[in-house]
Amino acid sequence: MTQLAHPLYSWDNGAFIMIGVFALVIFGLVGFIMMMMNSKNKKND
């Protein structure tokens, strides 16, 4: 009964590493999309 009031999230389980990996993935995806949008190789029909 004493453990019912536990915090919803604990920073002890490597949350900073998970946030860092998530940020790298997001920056990678955004960079890839920007690179694809600005590519000069247009398809000629």
Side-chain angles (χ1 to χ4, degrees):
M1 291 298 281
T2 60
Q3 294 185 0
L4 289 178
H6 57 81
L8 293 176
Y9 193 77
S10 175
W11 289 97
D12 295 334
N13 61 352
F16 292 110
I17 295 172
M18 290 187 284
I19 290 171
V21 169
F22 182 72
L24 286 175
V25 169
I26 295 299
F27 285 137
L29 288 174
V30 169
F32 179 73
I33 291 171
M34 296 300 284
M35 186 178 66
M36 293 296 288
M37 286 173 58
N38 295 327
S39 66
K40 300 293 182 186
N41 297 334
K42 303 283 183 185
K43 199 173 192 180
N44 293 331
D45 289 331

